[in-house]
Amino acid sequence: MCIRDRAEGFYRPSTGSIYPVLRSLARDGYIIIQERDGKKIYSLTDKGVKKVEEIKIEIESLFTRDPLKRRVIDLLFNIGLTVHINRKKIDDKVLNQLITDLEKCMALVEEAIKSKGEKTVTQV
């Protein structure tokens, strides 16, 4: 099964993006690359299996059981999903409005965090 199918169409990596990642994973010892019947087979090493388990724990903590945090995560996911599903209907005018609205939302999030005396960490 290919990555696009496993991601149900949400992610379609190009060969230019996937092979450098595979080479990096092999170089770092997370996977091994073998050739069978003229095809390259990529397999996790013990180190790779351990890393996958660590990532699973991180993901599980992200998708917390706390209902308020879960609601925030669900809303963020649904925004992305709605944009993705309707991507063919969205023109530049709508995109610009979405950007403006999301930038306002981001400012509100940062302000809410700052009001608690916490420094915000943002990713651009």
Side-chain angles (χ1 to χ4, degrees):
M1 179 179 282
C2 72
I3 293 172
R4 183 189 68 229
D5 294 340
R6 289 189 67 125
E8 297 178 2
F10 284 106
Y11 180 60
R12 297 177 184 168
S14 68
T15 55
S17 65
I18 197 73
Y19 287 107
V21 171
L22 289 170
R23 282 192 298 274
S24 175
L25 290 169
R27 184 184 63 243
D28 294 342
Y30 294 117
I31 64 171
I32 56 171
I33 305 169
Q34 299 172 319
E35 193 160 325
R36 290 189 208 143
D37 301 324
K39 294 182 180 180
K40 288 186 178 183
I41 307 296
Y42 300 86
S43 304
L44 287 172
T45 62
D46 290 341
K47 181 179 177 181
V49 170
K50 183 178 176 184
K51 186 65 174 177
V52 167
E53 292 304 317
E54 290 171 8
I55 291 169
K56 282 182 183 179
I57 291 168
E58 288 179 31
I59 290 171
E60 287 171 6
S61 71
L62 174 65
F63 294 101
T64 179
R65 294 186 189 270
D66 179 317
L68 290 175
K69 291 178 182 177
R70 180 73 237 168
R71 182 70 180 133
V72 170
I73 292 167
D74 288 344
L75 286 167
L76 292 169
F77 177 80
N78 287 330
I79 290 169
L81 182 60
T82 300
V83 171
H84 175 74
I85 289 170
N86 294 286
R87 66 192 177 279
K88 293 181 181 176
K89 302 176 197 173
I90 298 174
D91 60 15
D92 286 351
K93 181 179 178 185
V94 173
L95 283 174
N96 283 319
Q97 185 63 52
L98 288 172
I99 290 167
T100 299
D101 292 343
L102 290 170
E103 286 173 342
K104 288 177 187 174
C105 182
M106 184 64 195
L108 290 169
V109 168
E110 289 175 335
E111 190 58 38
I113 294 168
K114 285 178 188 173
S115 72
K116 293 293 181 186
E118 299 289 330
K119 181 179 178 185
T120 58
V121 178
T122 57
Q123 188 154 345
V124 191

